Structure formats: structure tokens, C-alpha cells
Amino acid sequence: VQLQASGGGLVQAGGSLRLSCAASGSLYRVNDMTWKRQAPGKQRELVAKITRGGTSDYADSVKGRFTISRDNAKNSVYLQMDSLKPEDTAVYYCDADVMVNKNYEFNYEGQGTLVTVSS
């Protein structure tokens, strides 16, 4: 199973970006999907999480600015980021709890995509 993230880039403060991540390979079902980020010199932190049923949760720092969504048919998760701030600059990672068959679930993480917000 692989997770492929895309959509990062350079944007000015106040701008928007949309990140995408798709799971591929031999899988049975994708359950919870999560976006995390790691800024230079800081620990990785959870940004947003969404269950298969669509229930979402956000870090306080992004509430009201970021929106997580998913497409179960495409095994994909998205992160719409609006009103971006310089402190949002980080490498963004997606991860997913993937059932590889009816009995086993593993956590997989993608390679990360860099988001840079200039002031």
C-alpha cells in the first residue's frame, strides 16, 4: 500500500492551497485518514483527521481555516487550506489506517509535501 500526497507549494499569507492524498495498492478498505505536519525544528503535529463516515476533527490552530474531506471511492483525502499564515509552513504528511484484508489493519504514511507560506 502506498500513499501519494500532492498539492504543496509556495503561497503568500492569506492565500489558499489544496492538498490531496490517495492510497493505492492491494487494500480492502481505508478507515481513518489524517493530515499531520512538521515545521523545521518542531515535532510533528496532527492537523486534521477524518473517519470513513466523514466525522472530522481539527487542531485548534487550524480550525475555521482548514477543511478536511475524503472520497471513499477513490481512497483519497483532501485538505483545503485557506487564510494561510507563515506559521503554517511545514511538510505535510497524510497517513491512513488501511485494512489490507478483512482481519488486518495497518497504518501507512505518505512521503510528505512541502507547504511554504511567505509573509
Side-chain angles (χ1 to χ4, degrees):
V1 174
Q2 290 186 327
L3 294 178
Q4 183 69 41
S6 61
L10 174 64
V11 64
Q12 288 190 330
S16 298
L17 281 175
R18 186 175 188 248
L19 306 183
S20 300
C21 179
S24 62
S26 180
L27 59 89
Y28 175 71
R29 187 175 69 197
V30 180
N31 292 329
D32 291 356
M33 303 187 84
T34 303
W35 285 101
K36 298 177 181 177
R37 67 185 180 186
Q38 188 165 18
K42 294 188 177 181
Q43 289 188 331
R44 193 168 299 189
E45 63 175 353
L46 186 143
V47 176
K49 183 175 184 177
I50 188 167
T51 67
R52 183 172 178 82
T55 300
S56 59
D57 194 18
Y58 298 89
D60 288 342
S61 59
V62 307
K63 281 181 181 176
R65 300 188 298 120
F66 291 10
T67 303
I68 190 170
S69 61
R70 65 187 291 168
D71 184 334
N72 290 335
K74 296 181 179 179
N75 295 319
S76 295
V77 63
Y78 309 98
L79 187 68
Q80 178 66 40
M81 304 186 294
D82 299 319
S83 303
L84 281 161
K85 304 175 181 180
E87 50 264 45
D88 295 317
T89 295
V91 177
Y92 284 71
Y93 300 88
C94 66
D95 79 37
D97 295 329
V98 179
M99 297 190 71
V100 296
N101 55 44
K102 291 183 179 180
N103 299 310
Y104 293 100
E105 179 184 88
F106 298 97
N107 182 260
Y108 294 90
E109 184 176 88
Q111 85 287 3
T113 185
L114 177 63
V115 172
T116 303
V117 184
S118 63
S119 56

